Amino acid sequence: MRNLVKSVLIGALLFAAVGCVTDAGKPLDEHRLVVGVTAGPHEQIMEKVKEVAAKDGLDIDIKVFNDYPMVNVALAEGELDVNSFQHEPYLEQMKKDKNLDLVAVADTVNFPMGIYSKRIKDLKQLKKGDKIGLPNDPTNGARALLLFDQAGLIKLKKGIGIKATVKDIVENPLDLELVELEAAQIPRQLDEFAAAAINTNFAVEHGLLPTRDAIYMEPKDSPWVNVLAVRTENKDDPVIQKLIKAYHSEEVKRFVEETFKGSVVPSW
């Protein structure tokens, strides 16, 4: 009897363990993918990808998020099969910070970061001590600092690259006050700054067109290319290749070029 009870308990524990396996441990459905995106251009582009993929027998269920970190967490936990919203430096930083087993499988588009202002029309109009906004996450913060350096507002430590932080500023001629905020909040608080660096997806979401409204922009050949990301276990799955084929289609490329008119650039 004692052995029987022991066996039943072990069986129950094993059943419970199996029952707790998340979707992250399941193979992907060959006909359907759940794709996470951020609101704005990524969502618009994925809607077009969905239309193209449907012709190839692939159904895409699009889940829209309003902040960056949760999209990777949702992918890692199995709520999503793929996400499309970030450049690779951001993905690598998130993987390191949160110990996520994710990998980039394809380039998508590039969103040149811009500097925006409601007070000035040219960076030469900035005054001593003005407040400048920038994203507070490590990768987009570094990207903004490199943009400020390129624009001549500050000078960064030589060779610091994508690891730059405000501590790496070696020259700040106007003694600008750099204020770090959540990337999604910056467009909402643009009035509080003389100027601010804003990611294109958040700029567009708030009615700002980079080619029209930015007073300074990254070049179109910027290295900050966005990617499709998946759990590492799914990187070679045939259905992922089907998604990439749809995304990299001429139809999607034309859609991006005609819809965003240079504010979003195809990277394939």
Side-chain angles (χ1 to χ4, degrees), residues 186-232:
I186 298 176
R188 300 186 182 101
Q189 297 180 232
L190 186 55
D191 286 335
E192 300 176 19
F193 301 105
I198 303 177
N199 295 79
T200 295
N201 59 317
F202 291 130
V204 171
E205 188 179 338
H206 286 80
L208 296 169
L209 181 63
T211 51
R212 182 191 67 205
D213 300 314
I215 58 177
Y216 191 88
M217 283 182 66
E218 286 176 339
K220 292 183 180 180
D221 60 352
S222 163
W224 303 86
V225 175
N226 283 252
V227 296
L228 292 175
V230 301
R231 290 181 295 279
T232 301

Side-chain angles (χ1 to χ4, degrees), residues 15-247:
F15 178 81
V18 172
C20 289
V21 173
T22 68
D23 289 342
K26 295 180 180 179
L28 299 179
D29 186 326
E30 62 179 319
H31 301 298
R32 180 179 179 273
L33 286 173
V34 181
V35 181
V37 297
T38 43
H42 280 299
E43 179 184 4
Q44 290 174 263
I45 295 169
M46 193 55 64
E47 288 287 355
K48 187 64 179 180
V49 174
K50 177 177 181 175
E51 180 184 318
V52 174
K55 301 174 186 178
D56 200 21
L58 175 60
D59 177 39
I60 296 177
D61 181 9
I62 302 172
K63 303 294 184 184
V64 182
F65 293 75
N66 290 311
D67 61 52
Y68 286 171
M70 284 307 301
V71 199
N72 278 325
V73 173
L75 175 59
E77 294 181 348
E79 181 182 338
L80 306 172
D81 300 317
V82 186
N83 69 36
S84 178
F85 79 102
Q86 65 195 323
H87 49 63
E88 196 156 12
Y90 182 83
L91 171 62
E92 292 303 315
Q93 187 65 46
M94 281 287 292
K95 286 166 61 176
K96 179 180 177 182
D97 291 346
K98 296 187 177 295
N99 193 29
L100 304 177
D101 191 14
L102 307 178
V103 64
V105 291
D107 290 344
T108 56
V109 292
N110 188 19
F111 292 69
M113 180 180 273
I115 300 176
Y116 298 81
S117 176
K118 291 187 177 181
R119 301 183 192 175
I120 62 174
K121 299 295 184 181
D122 191 298
L123 292 177
K124 293 178 182 178
Q125 296 175 286
L126 285 172
K127 299 175 181 178
K128 193 173 183 66
D130 274 343
K131 289 184 179 181
I132 305 294
L134 71 159
N136 64 1
D137 64 273
T139 49
N140 284 303
R143 183 179 185 179
L145 290 169
L146 290 169
L147 183 62
F148 294 160
D149 183 293
Q150 185 181 38
L153 301 182
I154 61 171
K155 187 173 181 180
L156 293 169
K157 187 184 302 180
K158 189 174 181 179
I160 192 64
I162 64 172
K163 295 182 179 179
T165 71
V166 291
K167 295 179 181 179
D168 297 305
I169 298 172
V170 293
E171 291 183 24
N172 184 357
L174 290 175
D175 195 25
L176 298 170
E177 181 182 347
L178 274 64
V179 181
E180 298 173 285
L181 288 175
E182 186 74 28
Q185 294 295 323
I186 298 176
R188 300 186 182 101
Q189 297 180 232
L190 186 55
D191 286 335
E192 300 176 19
F193 301 105
I198 303 177
N199 295 79
T200 295
N201 59 317
F202 291 130
V204 171
E205 188 179 338
H206 286 80
L208 296 169
L209 181 63
T211 51
R212 182 191 67 205
D213 300 314
I215 58 177
Y216 191 88
M217 283 182 66
E218 286 176 339
K220 292 183 180 180
D221 60 352
S222 163
W224 303 86
V225 175
N226 283 252
V227 296
L228 292 175
V230 301
R231 290 181 295 279
T232 301
E233 66 191 41
N234 299 131
K235 66 184 179 68
D236 298 319
D237 197 300
V239 72
I240 298 300
Q241 296 307 311
K242 190 178 287 189
L243 172 64
I244 295 171
K245 177 185 174 184
Y247 204 117

